[in-house]
């Protein structure tokens, strides 16, 4: 409604503006005419005289005020006419707006009623269709469920029968295969055992023969080596004894010569006399006792040191107590074991007459 009022106001203001413009043009034209009429005779020169027309300013002021008053009255009349016209237009607009609102309300109510009726009919139709669809779906689902259950039961029965048949066939096949495998395994194991026994017997026989041959060769070599070493040792001992005898004889001869032959031809008891009445037999016998004492503490596993010798230098006290022992030559391993055995051995006590000869003695130790 306000938009319509604004439109009417804009249409009504146009005549007012045109009226004002026309009044302005009229005033300007009157003023121009007035100036033209008075100016024609105002300053003309006629011979030697100048005519003058005087205008009363009060007349012009009064005329201007009348024109201005006329314009004001016209404006008031126009304004009043405009206000009356605005009021009539407003009343017509309000009436038209009310009628329009009533018509729109009636149309809206009618449309709402029609819409409600249509929606109700559509809802009832949809409900009926939904119920029918649900019923059809339920019936279809029930039929499908029954068919599925029947198919599942038939499938389960078929699968069970197939599984039982397959299990029976598998069990029979496995049993047959197991029996066959067991028979083959037994035969293979028997053949393998017989072959292994034969191979083992052959290997043991070959090993035994090889070991026997190696043992015989080793024993022969050891025996030959021991014999050679024994022969060499006996030869060295004999040479040493001969040398010692020769030296002793030389000493005895020198002593006899010094004493004038007093000791020459004197018979000896128990063998040739030497070393102040100590015989070689007594000395050898004591050394043999010392060797036996060492051998009792010496360990010779599988005759490792057979045929080997070690020369030991032993120092003892008068009661046979071991004071010191050192190796003077021979097999290094044997000497190491012989030294350890000597330190553990119980050295026999020598006779007082023999002590000076054995307090520091050399022993050719050879394991037994």
């Amino acid at each position: 409604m306000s938009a319509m009022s604004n439109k009417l106001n804009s249409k009504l203001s146009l005549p007012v503006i045109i009226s004002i413009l026309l009044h302005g043009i009229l005033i300007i034209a009157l003023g121009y005419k007035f100036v033209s009429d008075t100016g024609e005779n105002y300053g003309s020169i006629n011979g030697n005289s100048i005519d003058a027309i005087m205008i009363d300013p009060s007349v012009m002021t009064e005329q201007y005020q009348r024109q201005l008053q006329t314009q004001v009255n016209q404006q008031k009349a126009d304004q009043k006419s405009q206000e009356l016209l605005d009021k009539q237009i407003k009343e017509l607009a309000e009436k038209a707006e009310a009628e329009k609102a009533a018509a729109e309300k009636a149309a809206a109510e009618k449309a709402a009623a029609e819409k409600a009726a249509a929606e109700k009919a559509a809802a009832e139709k949809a409900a009926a269709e939904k119920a029918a669809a649900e019923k059809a779906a339920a019936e279809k689902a029930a039929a499908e469920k029954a068919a599925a259950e029947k198919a599942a039961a038939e499938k389960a029965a078929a699968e069970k029968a197939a599984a039982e048949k397959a299990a029976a066939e598998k069990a029979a096949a496995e049993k047959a295969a197991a029996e066959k495998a067991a028979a083959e395994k037994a035969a293979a194991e028997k053949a393998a055992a017989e072959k292994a026994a034969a191979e083992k017997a052959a290997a043991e026989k070959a090993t035994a023969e090889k070991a026997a041959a190696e043992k015989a060769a080793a024993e022969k070599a050891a025996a030959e080596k021991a014999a050679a070493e024994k022969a060499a040792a006996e030869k060295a001992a004999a040479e040493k004894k001969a040398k010692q005898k020769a030296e002793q004889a030389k000493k005895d001869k020198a002593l006899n010569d010094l004493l004038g032959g007093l000791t020459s031809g004197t018979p000896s008891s128990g063998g040739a006399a030497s070393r102040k009445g100590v015989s070689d037999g007594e000395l050898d016998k004591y050394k043999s006792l010392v060797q036996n004492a060492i051998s009792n503490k010496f360990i010779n596993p599988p005759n490792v040191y057979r045929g080997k010798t070690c020369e030991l230098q032993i120092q003892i006290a008068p009661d046979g107590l071991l004071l010191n022992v050192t190796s003077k030559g021979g097999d290094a391993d044997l000497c190491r074991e012989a030294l350890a055995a000597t330190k553990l051995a119980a050295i026999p006590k020598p006779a007082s007459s023999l002590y000076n000869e054995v307090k520091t003695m050399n022993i050719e130790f050879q394991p037994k």
Side-chain angles (χ1 to χ4, degrees), residues 115-128:
K115 182 180 179 181
E119 289 177 349
K120 183 178 180 182
E124 290 175 352
K125 183 180 179 182

Side-chain angles (χ1 to χ4, degrees), residues 252-257 259-267:
D252 291 341
K253 183 176 183 303
L255 182 61
N256 288 333
D257 293 339
L259 295 177
L262 295 177
T263 60
S264 61
T266 304

Side-chain angles (χ1 to χ4, degrees), residues 320-339:
L321 177 66
L322 180 66
L323 299 178
N324 188 27
V325 59
T326 57
S327 64
K328 291 298 184 179
D331 186 78
D333 294 334
L334 174 61
C335 289
R336 183 179 64 253
E337 298 295 335
L339 289 172

